Each structure stands twice: as structure tokens, then as C-alpha cells.
Amino acid sequence: MNEWLTVAGLTKHYGRLAALADVGFSIHRGEILGLIGPNGAGKTTLFECMAGVLPPTAGGVLLDGHPITARERSGMLFYLPDAVAPWPAQPVKWALDFTIGFFGGRSDLLKEVVDGLALTPLLKHPTGTLSKGQRKRVMLAIGLLTPQPVLLADEPFDGLDLRQSRDVAATLRAHASRGRTLFLSIHQIADAARICDRFVLLSGGRVCGEGTLEDLTAVARARGPAPPRRDLEEVFLALT
């Protein structure tokens, strides 16, 4: 996998508060990259700065080594926030069709996405009447139908039960296997360990580690008492 997107020196201040401090890491083509950190670590702020929703105080996103332009960003990145419910009066099928038409999305993937996320029973329901887990699956479908090469998804497993989480993970993996790059902000480490190829560990607005589980385990062992086993949760605790 080739590195072609880089976050370099990204800093975000709110007055004297540094929500992000000199954040840097790389994104590889076709990978599932997990952004791991506790509540308040700065994960959503990072996604919003990357997507252009918030202006960074310093630093930013580089594309092939140069600062990404607004036009390049809109063509490269699609940001799927957590806890949003667009078009509440419209049925799910309308929302999916609108996504394809408005964004120039992948109509050829519609059936696969609907089946993979078990949305068929929901297609005629207004999005505003859905439960949290149902709404999460619809929003993931919207993200997966967009044409941008990189999807930023904030907490894609939040509100899902175990079976739904496994189905969503399988659907995301299928899309990554065809070359879509997925950058997922994940609070539950078990979900991240199950699906991600590499990880960015974020704590207190700073990157504490980046790499595969093997890479991070090696760093943790080099810094001090070794984690008792090759386990993402133990490695995260050792590095943060």
C-alpha cells in the first residue's frame, strides 16, 4: 500500500486550549485505518479539520506532499459525522437515491450496500423514525455510496449490537478490498482490533503511536515493561 495522504503538524487551539497538538500520520491507499482514543482525545476535532469543517490553527492535510486544495479535498475525502440524521421526513430509499444522484455516487453498489447492512426492511421508513442503530447503518450506507476515494467515518459501530457490528465490519472490509480507503474513529478497542489494518493512537490531542498492531507492540516493548500479550488494548494503555 502506498502512502499518498499525510496529516502533518495539525494543531487546533480554542483560546489557550490545545484540542490537537502537532498531529501527524500517514494514510495508505486501500487500508482500513483506525483512529483510537478515549472520549475527549480530539478524534472528532481531527476529522473535522481534515474534512475542512474546522480551520486548523496550524498544519493540515498533504496530498502527494503538497497542501491539499479545497477542490482536491472535496474530491478526495467524504466525512461522515456521528449522530446526524439528515432528511428526517424522507424514506431511507429516497436518501440513498439522493446520495447517488447528488454526489455522483455508485449506483452499481446500491444493492450490495443495502443487503450488507440489512436495510431492505427500512427502505420505506422515514429516516427520522429510525432507532440509533438503524440510523447508523443508513448513514454508513450513505457514506459507502459516495464516490470519494477516502471515507472518514466517526464512530461507525456506535449503537450497533454484536451481530450488526460483525455485518458492518464485513461490509466495510469488502469495500476496502476493492480499493476504498476507510479512516474510522473508533471508541471501542475490540471493534478496532477486529477490522483495522493499522492504527493511529490519539490521547490528549497528541498522537501516541501509529502502525500495525505488531509495530505498536514493538514500540511499547521498547519503551518499558512489555504488554503481557499482543493485545491492542494493552498496547494502547502502555503507549498513552
Side-chain angles (χ1 to χ4, degrees):
M1 290 183 290
N2 297 322
E3 171 186 324
W4 96 115
L5 275 180
T6 306
V7 173
L10 203 158
T11 299
K12 179 63 179 177
H13 288 163
Y14 294 100
R16 295 183 178 180
L17 173 66
L20 297 171
D22 196 27
V23 169
F25 56 89
S26 61
I27 302 175
H28 299 170
R29 296 178 191 270
E31 73 172 345
I32 300 181
L33 180 63
L35 179 62
I36 314 301
N39 289 335
K43 301 189 299 297
T44 297
T45 300
L46 173 58
F47 272 11
E48 290 179 344
C49 288
M50 289 183 65
V53 177
L54 286 177
T57 303
V61 180
L62 306 181
L63 173 62
D64 291 327
H66 68 80
I68 196 168
T69 66
R71 182 172 183 175
E72 289 171 334
R73 191 193 309 268
S74 65
M76 178 67 64
L77 305 174
F78 187 87
Y79 172 44
L80 196 63
D82 185 28
V84 294
W87 315 302
Q90 298 295 340
V92 170
K93 181 63 165 59
W94 181 95
L96 301 181
D97 289 340
F98 180 81
T99 297
I100 293 170
F102 185 80
F103 293 106
R106 297 285 304 275
S107 59
D108 57 311
L109 295 179
L110 179 58
K111 184 179 187 306
E112 176 188 328
V113 169
V114 168
D115 291 345
L117 298 176
L119 297 181
T120 300
L122 306 178
L123 291 177
K124 296 181 180 180
H125 291 246
T127 60
T129 66
L130 302 180
S131 69
K132 181 178 181 180
Q134 291 170 336
R135 188 166 61 249
K136 177 65 69 173
R137 283 149 49 209
V138 170
M139 291 306 301
L140 282 171
I142 287 172
L144 291 174
L145 290 171
T146 57
Q148 286 84 351
V150 181
L151 175 63
L152 311 178
D154 197 356
E155 298 291 353
F157 296 100
D158 188 38
L160 304 180
D161 61 29
L162 177 60
R163 185 178 301 278
Q164 291 168 346
S165 293
R166 288 182 175 178
D167 290 344
V168 165
T171 299
L172 294 175
R173 174 54 63 189
H175 282 256
S177 70
R178 288 195 293 265
R180 188 86 185 266
T181 302
L182 306 177
F183 189 15
L184 312 178
S185 168
I186 304 177
H187 179 68
Q188 295 296 332
I189 290 180
D191 290 326
R194 184 170 63 248
I195 188 174
C196 296
D197 302 308
R198 294 193 313 121
F199 308 91
V200 174
L201 309 185
L202 192 68
S203 181
R206 296 180 180 274
V207 171
C208 302
E210 175 193 355
T212 64
L213 180 53
E214 291 80 3
D215 296 335
L216 295 171
T217 300
V219 172
R221 288 173 176 164
R223 288 188 182 178
R229 59 189 182 279
R230 183 176 166 275
D231 178 271
L232 182 58
E233 181 175 325
E234 297 293 341
V235 168
F236 178 81
L237 293 173
L239 293 178
T240 59

